Amino acid sequence: MELRERRIREAFDILQRFKARTLHERMTGPADPGPAAIRDRASPITLDRLQRDVLRKGELFVDTYLSPEIVLVFGVTRDSCRAITVRGTGSELKSQIEVLHDMLAVPGDGANTSGESGFLDRAGRRLGGRLLGPVADLLHGCRRVIVAPDGELNRIPFAVLVVATSRAGDGDVLLSEREVV
């Protein structure tokens, strides 16, 4: 295994330990170790176990980490893992999330004019390109995309994001050809 791949695997495993600990603390409080059953359930999954025992052929797991300084995206299939640092900061991404969320939260007057649809499409393309563009090639052959959003990313219905999966740059709406969970 080459050094870069080993470092990506280590980073994924460290992030999962952090997320498991955070979940445990939210369930029990930071000072309370909690019952053993809860501690055991909060144990993290490793990348090796995820690829070997959990993911099926045709599934892509997208795990995210969002902080004010950095946004990380892991794209994981049964046989590959890619880690991407999203350009910009979490604070910058938050404004794009807000725009998309507001557009989806305010229903139109039923007319759904092409202008409204165009704005929504552009917002979905912009955000989809930033978050999922670097793992777009992993979407080929995947029928299910499993998303584990972090922080503000929980406000995004990932199924509406548009990601260019062809060389021509045409966008694929994830929901149109894949199950997004």
Side-chain angles (χ1 to χ4, degrees), residues 63-105:
D63 195 10
T64 62
Y65 172 74
L66 177 72
S67 80
E69 298 84 27
I70 192 168
V71 180
L72 296 175
V73 176
F74 287 89
V76 183
T77 64
R78 281 186 67 92
D79 56 0
S80 66
C81 178
R82 188 169 309 146
I84 291 93
T85 302
V86 175
R87 63 184 190 277
T89 65
S91 300
E92 294 168 351
L93 194 61
K94 187 176 178 179
S95 65
Q96 282 186 308
I97 293 169
E98 193 70 32
V99 167
L100 182 62
H101 184 267
D102 288 350
M103 292 175 93
L104 292 168

Side-chain angles (χ1 to χ4, degrees), residues 40-146:
D40 293 344
R41 276 190 228 138
S43 64
I45 190 165
T46 64
L47 182 58
D48 287 335
R49 185 166 163 238
L50 177 68
Q51 289 179 309
R52 182 185 64 239
D53 300 335
V54 178
L55 290 176
R56 296 183 180 112
K57 183 175 173 63
E59 291 181 333
L60 170 64
F61 177 62
V62 177
D63 195 10
T64 62
Y65 172 74
L66 177 72
S67 80
E69 298 84 27
I70 192 168
V71 180
L72 296 175
V73 176
F74 287 89
V76 183
T77 64
R78 281 186 67 92
D79 56 0
S80 66
C81 178
R82 188 169 309 146
I84 291 93
T85 302
V86 175
R87 63 184 190 277
T89 65
S91 300
E92 294 168 351
L93 194 61
K94 187 176 178 179
S95 65
Q96 282 186 308
I97 293 169
E98 193 70 32
V99 167
L100 182 62
H101 184 267
D102 288 350
M103 292 175 93
L104 292 168
V106 179
D109 60 6
N112 196 12
T113 65
S114 61
E116 290 171 350
S117 178
F119 284 129
L120 183 58
D121 183 62
R122 283 192 297 279
R125 282 180 193 281
R126 194 168 27 256
L127 201 51
R130 276 186 84 182
L131 292 173
L132 300 175
V135 296
D137 62 306
L138 297 178
L139 288 168
H140 293 290
C142 287
R143 63 186 182 286
R144 177 180 292 148
V145 180
I146 304 161

